[in-house]
Amino acid sequence: MMVVVNPLKCTGCAFCVPVCPNRAISSLGLAEIDKDRCVACLECLDFCPVTALGRGKNRKEPHGS
Amino acid sequence: MDHRAHCDVLILGSGMGGLAAAALLARDGFRVIVAEKMPRLGGRCSTMDYNGFKCITGVVGVETRGVVQGLFDRVGAGFDVKEAGPPHYLINGQICQVPSRGGMKHLMMAAGAGAMEVETVMNAITGALQWRAPSSDVPLGDWLRQYTSNPRIMEIFQALVSAVLFVNVNELSVHTYFEFLKKLKGIQRFGYAPGGSISLARSLAKVVVDHGGEIWTRCRVNAIKSRNNIVRGATVSRRGKNLSIKAPVVISNAGPKETARLAETGIRDQYYLRELEQRMTPARITALQFSMDEPLFESNHLLVTGTQSLNSVYQPTMVCPEWAPDGAHLLVAGSAPRNSLEPFDGKREIEQCLADLRAVFPGFESRARLLLAGTFQGAWPGMHSLPGRDMDRKTPVINLYNVGDGVKPFGYTGLPGVVATGIDVAEEVMGRNRILTGAP
Ligand SMILES: Cc1cc2nc3c(=O)[nH]c(=O)nc-3n(C[C@H](O)[C@H](O)[C@H](O)COP(=O)(O)OP(=O)(O)OC[C@H]3O[C@@H](n4cnc5c(N)ncnc54)[C@H](O)[C@@H]3O)c2cc1C
Ligand code: SF4
Ligand code: SF4
């Protein structure tokens, strides 16, 4: 499990970036999560003003992995 | 529903509009609950600690000796803001200080305007300020072009309105511009809070709590409840539980559109919803925050002319070294697209702002390291409405009000505008309560 960004909701404010203890988030107009760093602690969720962050399966990983 | 709570006034959101209203009402004896979904106070007037820097979530410069300070004095809240001194402009690569008198004249001369040209523009401005306000449907740019064709003069106005009103000279009505000059004096006096902008929110929150109010963070309002078109309270989630809060008055700081969405089932007036869609145009801005070993220039604030999108650069650490680790400096660069209605591409805006910074400050790249790049648009914008396009503070649901930067009084902007909405709504609630209870 990891955190995923809803690109239709994310406004790019970068509020989530300083919150992550593992520096898994970067943002240049749209937040991106580094799946290798995210430990799904969910600390960032409450800091997003537009509920663009949510729990999710890592979509980038191929099925069955 | 797991639990119930009740209060006299429920305030949805701890932005400065919500907290201004909360502090006034708590002091007047109302039982107030402020429900804030984020873990920290202040919304877009807050502070993010990052690598030892007090990074901004919005407000950098705070108007002083005006509406904001007046509210703090009135409720007995500490107003710890260090004044920044007069504003500076970057014109033709030269830094110009704006003198306290004859500022505009001085700037136009610095831009290379001739004496005749300066006099023509100054006479027009004097007439507009002291005799007759120009027509409301004329853009500031068109109005100015009647008196000057000098692009550098236009750029001085552009830098100010883009940085402070978050709009462009060709989009702002000249009437709104002069109203802003009259009401807020163009925000000539401002400063920075040594404790970070969040300290302003904390200071108002302390007044609320000291007067028996409650402030709940990590508490999201899920729906605003009403019956027979009168507000009844809200349902919230807090610590994993759902809670129903009964309140005869609800003040929303979430922005007019979000308020309407939360109160959806209660709002029958389709024309109100249509007006919301038509009027509310969010101001879109970009704020880049950098760490530096040395200041980039010798003042704390510059309005930048002649760029594509960059309009202002702040070095708050020149006034408040507390905003950075020992010896380091924080730089905040603000920009806005030259067209407020075109689709907004955050990545492109950030790149344009960076390109402007490199063009204006030689060696920028080697001197400044990017900390955070934020774009503010859509549901979390620079301001919920462009100047002159604000909604009414009352909603169609009785006793449901909006505060914040989507309902600013005419001529107001940013923090003073937001605080003014909190004062206005709190006074309305206090006044109506006196009539109902017969209190003096
Ligand atoms: C980058 C940037 C720079 C700026 N610089 C300046 C400046 O230098 N000077 C200046 O005067 N102005 C500045 N502004 C404008 C200023 O920040 C805003 O106008 C002002 O802070 C907005 O206050 P507000 O009361 O409207 O509410 P907000 O700050 O938007 O607060 C609303 C609060 O409500 C909460 N909320 C929303 N929905 C819910 C819900 N359902 N349940 C619970 N809580 C909820 C939010 O989490 C938030 O905390 C800047 C803005 C930005 C974005
Ligand atoms: S869930 Fe935790 S680790 Fe993952 S991005 Fe959010 S804060 Fe970082
Ligand atoms: S806090 Fe939310 S809106 Fe802001 S950058 Fe992160 S995901 Fe996007």
Side-chain angles (χ1 to χ4, degrees):
Chain A
M1 225 244 313
M2 65 176 269
V3 154
V4 291
V5 181
N6 180 340
L8 297 175
K9 280 188 168 182
C10 174
T11 55
C13 68
F15 284 11
C16 50
V17 175
V19 173
C20 177
N22 299 309
R23 306 202 167 232
I25 317 180
S26 57
S27 185
L28 285 177
L30 179 70
E32 279 184 42
I33 314 281
D34 180 340
K35 66 177 167 62
D36 296 328
R37 286 175 173 237
C38 175
V39 299
C41 68
L42 307 183
E43 203 28 54
C44 52
L45 259 57
D46 282 345
F47 286 87
C48 177
V50 294
T51 359
L53 296 170
R55 287 167 229 233
K57 287 228 167 69
N58 180 3
R59 293 197 201 124
K60 280 183 200 146
E61 265 171 40
H63 288 292
S65 68
Chain B
M1 213 42 62
D2 297 336
H3 286 285
R4 280 171 205 286
H6 55 92
C7 59
D8 297 329
V9 183
L10 172 65
I11 290 164
L12 190 172
S14 71
M16 290 297 279
L19 287 173
L24 281 165
L25 290 166
R27 260 186 76 95
D28 206 52
F30 289 82
R31 280 174 307 153
V32 171
I33 294 178
V34 178
E36 167 58 57
K37 67 182 180 184
M38 279 196 217
R40 64 168 170 252
L41 298 176
R44 285 169 290 154
C45 180
S46 197
T47 303
M48 305 182 274
D49 288 309
Y50 192 40
N51 296 353
F53 291 84
K54 287 194 185 346
C55 290
I56 52 128
T57 65
V59 171
V60 193
V62 180
E63 180 218 38
T64 53
R65 302 192 228 178
V67 186
V68 183
Q69 191 164 359
L71 180 267
F72 277 68
D73 291 347
R74 181 169 161 191
V75 299
F79 185 73
D80 188 10
V81 175
K82 265 200 215 164
E83 286 205 351
H88 290 68
Y89 276 77
L90 189 67
I91 300 172
N92 286 339
Q94 298 292 317
I95 295 183
C96 310
Q97 181 180 324
V98 183
S100 56
R101 288 179 67 87
M104 187 46 83
K105 203 170 170 174
H106 177 85
L107 288 175
M108 286 192 282
M109 307 283 262
M116 283 276 284
E117 197 173 15
V118 172
E119 203 180 322
T120 311
V121 177
M122 287 313 295
N123 287 343
I125 292 177
T126 308
L129 279 175
Q130 293 176 11
W131 173 242
R132 180 187 165 272
S135 322
S136 53
D137 51 1
V138 177
L140 174 61
D142 289 354
W143 185 84
L144 280 170
R145 273 185 283 273
Q146 302 177 104
Y147 308 105
T148 175
S149 55
N150 187 331
R152 288 202 194 120
I153 293 186
M154 205 64 74
E155 281 298 317
I156 296 173
F157 287 88
Q158 167 65 23
L160 176 70
V161 302
S162 173
V164 178
L165 299 171
F166 299 173
V167 70
N168 297 297
V169 279
N170 293 324
E171 298 161 340
L172 174 70
S173 110
V174 62
H175 188 65
T176 312
Y177 174 70
F178 282 110
E179 199 60 25
F180 160 69
L181 287 191
K182 278 188 213 166
K183 296 254 172 73
L184 296 179
K185 314 265 179 294
I187 313 198
Q188 287 279 321
R189 292 182 192 282
F190 71 99
Y192 311 97
S197 301
I198 194 173
S199 65
L200 297 173
R202 285 189 180 137
S203 183
L204 290 179
K206 182 172 183 301
V207 172
V208 174
V209 174
D210 287 349
H211 290 83
E214 292 182 48
I215 298 191
W216 297 351
T217 51
R218 294 188 199 256
C219 174
R220 175 185 300 276
V221 172
N222 296 317
I224 297 168
K225 297 290 176 193
S226 60
R227 199 181 306 143
N228 301 329
N229 206 37
I230 302 175
V231 84
R232 292 295 168 115
T235 52
V236 308
S237 37
R238 189 184 185 215
R239 298 183 184 144
K241 291 201 163 123
N242 290 325
L243 192 76
S244 153
I245 304 179
K246 274 182 80 176
V249 175
V250 176
I251 299 175
S252 171
N253 200 186
K257 273 194 174 177
E258 181 65 3
T259 307
R261 196 188 65 78
L262 290 167
E264 196 174 19
T265 53
I267 297 184
R268 289 281 176 79
D269 185 352
Q270 294 302 315
Y271 293 99
Y272 175 80
L273 297 176
R274 199 162 83 186
E275 196 188 339
L276 262 183
E277 282 307 317
Q278 286 169 352
R279 285 186 74 85
M280 291 279 102
T281 317
R284 294 102 48 97
I285 60 169
T286 298
L288 306 186
Q289 308 190 54
F290 299 88
S291 80
M292 290 177 315
D293 297 330
E294 301 284 335
L296 199 57
F297 48 88
E298 287 309 312
S299 73
N300 63 78
H301 175 231
L302 272 185
L303 285 162
V304 184
T305 66
T307 48
Q308 287 294 312
S309 70
L310 176 72
N311 52 34
S312 53
V313 202
Y314 294 86
Q315 296 185 132
T317 37
M318 299 282 277
V319 178
C320 294
E322 300 89 338
W323 282 32
D326 268 351
H329 284 272
L330 177 68
L331 180 100
V332 183
S335 72
R338 284 278 172 129
N339 183 330
S340 300
L341 300 172
E342 258 178 12
F344 184 92
D345 177 342
K347 199 165 176 228
R348 197 182 62 199
E349 290 302 322
I350 292 168
E351 278 163 8
Q352 183 59 59
C353 184
L354 281 168
D356 282 343
L357 284 163
R358 284 187 213 113
V360 170
F361 300 105
F364 180 79
E365 215 144 14
S366 58
R367 296 166 72 187
R369 288 171 302 277
L370 185 66
L371 284 166
L372 288 173
T375 53
F376 297 84
Q377 46 133 350
W380 194 247
M383 284 191 271
H384 282 292
S385 62
L386 296 180
R389 298 182 63 85
D390 295 86
M391 291 295 287
D392 188 359
R393 286 181 276 288
K394 285 182 177 170
T395 70
V397 177
I398 293 171
N399 290 341
L400 172 60
Y401 297 91
N402 277 305
V403 289
D405 61 21
V407 295
K408 305 176 293 297
F410 188 47
Y412 283 72
T413 186
L415 211 47
V418 160
V419 166
T421 67
I423 298 173
D424 178 76
V425 168
E427 282 178 347
E428 151 105 12
V429 171
M430 295 187 284
R432 286 181 51 210
N433 189 56
R434 274 185 203 106
I435 294 168
L436 291 175
T437 60

